[in-house]
Amino acid sequence: MFPTLTLEATAYNRSQLVFPEAPQAALAGRSNVGKSSLINALAGRRQLAKVSSTPGKTRSINYYRLNDSPAFLVDLPGYGYARCSHEERRKWQGLLEHYLTRTTGLTVLILLLDSRLEPQHSDREMAAFALAHDLPIIGVLTKTDKSKLREREAARRAWEVLLGGAPLLDVSSHKKVGLEDLWERILAAVGPAAETAPGDAL
Ligand code: GTP
Ligand code: MG
């Protein structure tokens, strides 16, 4: 059985960042790539994280606790979203960068890429940032229910080069494809404590 996810904290600014040392896996990717939908699919719930077809929905850092363990799955605001003010974009980017550089417990970055698109400039920057900081990566190709095999293969080839040998999974949150494999990799990264279901005897 997959761990239960419970929203524990939301950060809109640096002072609200919590649990920097707790083991955590974070979901990063361009706006609208499907991060919040993936949180819901991993949780097996429809409306745990807010989803929208309008890019720029998640503007905060959201911490979801795994069972009653010390570990978290973290939903990050999307990057590469052009249609907001320069000031607002600067603020989110600063928050994102602060989170990524100050969270010592961050054990893996789950990098999402739309399986219909080749990596964009901001995707390249994010992958390069993770590699430069020695952050382990799990690559995820999203919305595979919508992509053609040819598109998906092109995205995969381009993404593989950027990820420097990191695993790359095909996932559809809508069709619930690839979730088990992703959970296994997340749990391997954040530690076995997270696998304990609430109420389980230790
Ligand atoms: P921001 O919060 O803006 O950064 O976006 P996000 O990455 O959290 O994306 P979100 O989960 O809100 O999804 C964006 C849109 O993509 C919504 O309309 C979702 O319904 C759609 N979507 C997400 N996952 C899938 C999927 O697996 N298949 C399909 N077909 N659509 C998806
Ligand atoms: Mg979101």
Side-chain angles (χ1 to χ4, degrees):
M1 214 171 82
F2 297 151
T4 305
L5 293 178
T6 312
L7 179 63
E8 175 131 340
T10 294
Y12 289 92
N13 56 52
R14 293 173 190 201
S15 66
Q16 293 171 336
L17 290 175
V18 285
F19 322 118
E21 287 161 18
Q24 52 205 278
L27 282 89
R30 298 175 75 235
S31 270
N32 218 39
V33 72
K35 298 176 292 300
S36 300
S37 301
L38 186 52
I39 292 270
N40 288 335
L42 288 169
R45 290 176 53 185
R46 279 173 187 271
Q47 292 178 355
L48 183 61
K50 284 185 192 129
V51 167
S52 168
S53 54
T54 314
K57 179 68 183 172
T58 308
R59 298 176 178 220
S60 51
I61 293 181
N62 295 287
Y63 295 80
Y64 295 90
R65 193 180 283 281
L66 271 65
N67 292 330
D68 47 7
S69 80
F72 293 95
L73 194 59
V74 178
D75 191 11
L76 298 173
Y79 48 77
Y81 173 47
R83 267 187 296 168
C84 68
S85 75
H86 180 70
E87 177 57 27
E88 231 178 329
R89 200 157 67 229
R90 207 181 49 79
K91 195 183 145 210
W92 297 354
Q93 274 168 4
L95 183 63
L96 195 61
E97 223 175 280
H98 198 81
Y99 170 84
L100 291 172
T101 52
R102 304 297 172 89
T103 306
T104 52
L106 182 61
T107 49
V108 71
L109 191 67
I110 304 167
L111 263 182
L112 278 64
L113 184 80
D114 192 316
S115 60
R116 298 166 296 184
L117 304 172
E118 296 217 3
Q120 316 281 305
H121 179 69
S122 50
D123 294 317
R124 294 175 187 277
E125 281 187 343
M126 182 50 96
F129 179 94
L131 292 176
H133 287 79
D134 286 328
L135 251 179
I137 300 172
I138 302 170
V140 167
L141 288 170
T142 65
K143 308 187 188 183
T144 54
D145 56 291
K146 283 276 185 185
S147 58
K148 298 193 178 74
L149 183 62
R150 196 155 31 86
E151 291 172 321
R152 203 152 62 236
E153 283 177 348
R156 171 173 284 277
R157 275 194 299 274
W159 211 210
E160 268 169 355
V161 174
L162 294 183
L163 294 186
L168 184 53
L169 312 179
D170 281 350
V171 166
S172 164
S173 298
H174 284 193
K175 298 281 182 205
K176 302 193 182 0
V177 172
L179 302 176
E180 204 155 326
D181 195 359
L182 180 56
W183 256 132
E184 272 170 27
R185 288 174 190 271
I186 293 170
L187 291 173
V190 296
E195 292 186 51
T196 315
D200 271 10
L202 290 174

